[in-house]
Amino acid sequence: MKILIAEDSKLIRRAISKCVESLGFECLQAANGAECLAELEKELSDIKLMILDWNMPVLDGFEVLERVRAKAQYDGVKILMATSDGVEDDVVAAVKAGADSYLVKPFSQEKLSKRIMDMVGQEEVSNKN
Amino acid sequence: MKKISYITNSQESFDYLADTEVTRIPIAKAGDSDFQAVFEKSDIILIDQTDPVLAEIKRDNQPLLLLCDDPHFADCGRSELVSAGLNGIVTKETFRLFFNQLLMLKAVDTSYDWEVVLSMVSPFAQAACEVLATTASTRIKVLGFVIGYIIPPEGELGSSMHFYGDIEGEAVAIFNIHQARKLAAGIAICSESDLVDEDLLDGVSEIINQVSGRMRSMEWSNNLRFNIGLPNDFHLAKNNQAINNSSGWVTILIECHSQICTVSLKASKVANPAVSL
């Protein structure tokens, strides 16, 4: 199973990918929303979770969210918004647009690990069994 | 020879400042006409309490600073003090480190509408401290604020962020190499030796991104809404960001990894916001 990270900060990508790989998932990375959509189309069958930053160049995370949720072929992909602000209106908008969960930076590795396992952990365990 | 007027009942020594002449004025005598001439000839005026001193001081254009042992982020941007003419609150050590820059400050420009930016300073300081504390895993402490744009003595790397919406503004964070390296390692959860130069700028940008983002979700008195752009990183030497004399800036001074970093903020209300939030 693969997890796709879309985040313009290389340092954040590094931190999140460490967490993802420590949980036994393969990690794909994109530096902006456009790269993220290209990667999703290429690897769709294996991607179970996308971790999206909101504020990115080229195409921001919210636009990625809307485009992904507009296509039925991506219904099986869960989406976690990982972003720098937790403005209530934005959280509500993201959930309404189809985000499955939301984390506000800075977050700990423990918090991220737990969230990932809550979202896709059971499915991974089932696949391995 | 730089002249300092210090309104205080203490016997604080300023021996650490070279080429300065310090005149101590007892607090009870701050309003005496004898000392007005002293104030007028001073390059900078220091006080260690505001009541009843602030109202007594008559001066030309000299900066006026409150020396405080233990400022809190809640002290930052107190509008009633700025309205009374205070240029800022700093610790004594901060005054020493930033002496040359503080001398260049002028009396607060009262023609500028400080309402919005001053209302943002305290929550912004809080947001900065929270983000840095989580990232840096070290002591983070507000050391004060200054009306003006000043930079850390060894500041090298910075990042700026624009705000738009009900307010138009900018935030700039500046760190030295040592701080930037530790912050980048904290963000990436890696060893400092694993970092390359561009990672340090990435880290500084991520800090201003997270601070600005956190600020958006905090309650502050004006309830004005804004969006943030993408961070823009820079080297101070290459981009000549050292001097910025335009009105409207407030700089928060923060201890991070045993040295001082700055977060400067400028913001004003937009008359007819074009952006729908």
Side-chain angles (χ1 to χ4, degrees), chain B residues 198-217:
Chain B
E198 65 174 15
D199 292 334
L200 306 192
L201 285 169
D202 185 349
V204 173
S205 289
E206 186 58 27
I207 293 294
I208 198 66
N209 183 39
Q210 291 185 21
V211 172
S212 302
R214 183 167 290 229
M215 175 66 199
R216 285 190 72 228
S217 60

Side-chain angles (χ1 to χ4, degrees), chain B residues 259-276:
Chain B
Q259 293 171 324
I260 302 177
C261 64
T262 58
V263 181
S264 299
L265 184 61
K266 182 171 180 171
S268 55
K269 202 183 295 187
V270 174
N272 295 300
V275 176
S276 169

Side-chain angles (χ1 to χ4, degrees), chain B residues 25-159:
Chain B
I25 298 129
I27 292 172
K29 293 192 177 294
D32 286 6
S33 55
D34 296 342
F35 290 110
Q36 295 309 316
V38 174
F39 296 146
E40 284 163 15
K41 288 178 184 164
S42 297
D43 295 295
I44 192 165
I45 303 171
L46 305 176
I47 56 177
D48 56 17
Q49 65 182 60
T50 53
D51 284 330
V53 177
L54 268 184
E56 305 285 354
I57 302 170
K58 307 283 185 291
R59 59 199 163 106
D60 292 329
N61 213 16
Q62 303 92 331
L64 171 64
L65 294 170
L66 172 65
L67 294 186
C68 176
D69 286 335
D70 189 20
H72 188 266
F73 59 74
D75 294 319
C76 293
R78 284 173 58 188
S79 58
E80 75 280 12
L81 297 180
V82 174
S83 298
L86 195 71
N87 283 90
I89 300 174
V90 295
T91 63
K92 292 179 180 119
E93 178 63 7
T94 309
F95 177 69
R96 181 185 72 81
L97 290 169
F98 286 81
F99 180 57
N100 289 326
Q101 290 188 69
L102 295 175
L103 280 177
M104 290 167 58
L105 297 177
K106 303 295 178 196
V108 177
D109 178 2
T110 53
S111 68
Y112 185 85
D113 183 359
W114 292 98
E115 182 193 351
V116 170
V117 66
L118 288 180
S119 71
M120 292 176 75
V121 171
S122 178
F124 208 86
Q126 184 179 353
C129 289
E130 288 174 359
V131 168
L132 288 171
T134 305
T135 308
S137 299
T138 186
R139 171 182 151 98
I140 302 294
K141 174 104 178 58
V142 163
L143 299 176
F145 80 98
V146 168
I147 302 296
Y149 184 96
I150 62 174
I151 63 171
E154 294 175 355
E156 279 195 54
L157 302 178
S159 187

Side-chain angles (χ1 to χ4, degrees), chain A residues 55-87:
Chain A
N55 217 19
M56 290 188 287
V58 184
L59 200 66
D60 69 32
F62 191 79
E63 288 183 72
V64 172
L65 169 65
E66 288 184 312
R67 292 189 192 195
V68 168
R69 284 299 178 240
K71 292 190 176 179
Q73 70 205 74
Y74 299 139
D75 282 353
V77 179
K78 297 206 173 168
I79 297 178
L80 167 62
M81 301 299 292
T83 183
S84 62
D85 74 65
V87 175

